[in-house]
Amino acid sequence: MNPDRAATEVELTRFHRPEFIDKVRHAERDALKFLDQGDTPVFPGVFEASALVVGAALDGLQRVMAGELTRTFQPIGGLHHAGRDHAAGFCVFNDIGVVIETLRRMHDVTRIGYVDIDVHHGDGIFYAYESDPDLIMADIHESGRSLYPGTGDADETGREAAVGTKLNLPLPAGSGDDAFLSVWPQVEAHLERLQPEFLIFQCGADGLEGDPLAHLKYSAAVHAHAARRMRALADRLCRGRLMAFGGGGYDRSNLARAWNNVVEELLA
């Protein structure tokens, strides 16, 4: 993927509100310290860096849709907390949201499956598409109101026409590989039932044991299993089309173990 390809304003507005994009663009000029209530800091070049993350995702998407690739992995990406009109949880622009909208508007792909195994609930995607029956979501994350963002209860299954298209699988603090593997079949059954045309996989590594911001105790075998099964699902349901994004993770050795496993499985 092209690391120098920045998303344009037109591309960003497929998901984000223009006024929010302007806020990010002028954050340094306006001497803002944070883009939200204190989690997402302004840093030199924040707009340009954030647009590059989205641009890399769009470059990968274009290659998949052109048939050049069937699968991609973008380690710096998966910024699933940003909403349409706000930054949140270290996430400025939501690259996954822009990919979803680009698939729909530019490639006529409507039914999209999104699987998120980051330790934190993917609230920026969930609430943006809570009433959208064609965004099929499954999210395994640590439960509890004390863990950011404190959302993603099992009874949050979508609204209106989208009821039943969203699957939240919260796990209690201290859960390890056995707990993850026990709920994973529900993810596969959910996708098989709803038949997406394209798969997106957010594979945050912050659920591994030792991450300083959370309390799950996965080994990297979880990421190998999830990536292997996502690849098989993509081959069966989506003509192989699968994009994976790194997401969170705050222990570098955990990142290396988890994401090496993801890449190995995607290359198989």
Side-chain angles (χ1 to χ4, degrees):
M1 289 176 280
N2 183 359
D4 298 319
R5 198 286 208 205
T8 66
E9 181 167 353
V10 169
E11 291 167 336
L12 292 171
T13 55
R14 291 173 189 162
F15 181 80
H16 289 292
R17 304 281 185 254
E19 57 270 24
F20 171 62
I21 296 169
D22 284 342
K23 177 181 178 179
V24 179
R25 178 184 288 109
H26 300 306
E28 293 178 79
R29 182 200 69 184
D30 295 341
L32 299 181
K33 293 184 177 179
F34 294 93
L35 291 167
D36 55 6
Q37 303 306 308
D39 288 325
T40 311
V42 174
F43 56 86
V46 61
F47 179 87
E48 293 78 10
S50 302
L52 283 169
V53 172
V54 180
L58 292 175
D59 182 64
L61 174 62
Q62 182 61 42
R63 292 172 187 242
V64 171
M65 298 310 295
E68 179 182 341
L69 303 171
T70 53
R71 298 183 287 274
T72 65
F73 175 65
Q74 183 177 324
I76 307 302
L79 305 182
H80 61 169
H81 294 308
R84 294 188 185 273
D85 61 357
H86 64 275
F90 313 148
C91 303
V92 179
F93 295 136
N94 194 320
D95 50 332
I96 292 171
V98 177
V99 165
I100 290 168
E101 295 300 331
T102 301
L103 276 165
R104 290 176 165 181
R105 300 184 194 191
M106 307 304 293
H107 299 287
D108 199 30
V109 175
T110 300
R111 292 181 66 75
I112 299 161
Y114 173 62
V115 175
D116 189 324
I117 64 169
D118 192 290
V119 78
H120 304 101
H121 181 236
D123 57 326
I125 296 295
F126 182 87
Y127 293 109
Y129 296 99
E130 191 176 16
S131 299
D132 184 333
D134 289 321
L135 194 284
I136 301 153
M137 181 170 177
D139 194 311
I140 303 175
H141 51 274
E142 183 179 333
S143 63
R145 296 295 179 190
S146 61
L147 184 75
Y148 186 91
T151 57
D153 291 342
D155 61 359
E156 293 187 79
T157 64
R159 292 185 181 274
E160 301 167 353
V163 170
T165 63
K166 313 296 184 283
L167 177 67
N168 280 300
L169 297 167
L171 300 178
S175 296
D177 290 16
D178 288 348
F180 181 93
L181 294 174
S182 73
V183 301
W184 178 262
Q186 296 181 54
V187 174
E188 295 197 29
H190 186 63
L191 295 172
E192 292 274 11
R193 180 173 65 88
L194 294 172
Q195 297 283 301
E197 305 167 81
F198 192 102
L199 286 179
I200 298 171
F201 178 35
Q202 205 273 21
C203 49
D206 38 12
L208 269 66
E209 185 169 13
D211 188 275
L213 296 189
H215 317 93
L216 296 183
K217 296 185 176 182
Y218 299 158
S219 76
V222 156
H223 284 66
H225 179 82
R228 185 182 316 121
R229 299 306 302 162
M230 288 292 290
R231 185 189 75 229
L233 284 163
D235 287 344
R236 188 159 63 251
L237 302 175
C238 306
R239 291 185 278 165
R241 300 182 300 190
L242 169 64
M243 295 186 71
F245 295 84
Y250 307 93
D251 179 287
R252 289 184 178 179
S253 60
N254 281 349
L255 290 177
R257 285 191 291 268
W259 292 348
N260 279 343
N261 279 359
V262 169
V263 171
E264 183 176 356
E265 294 296 337
L266 295 183
L267 290 173

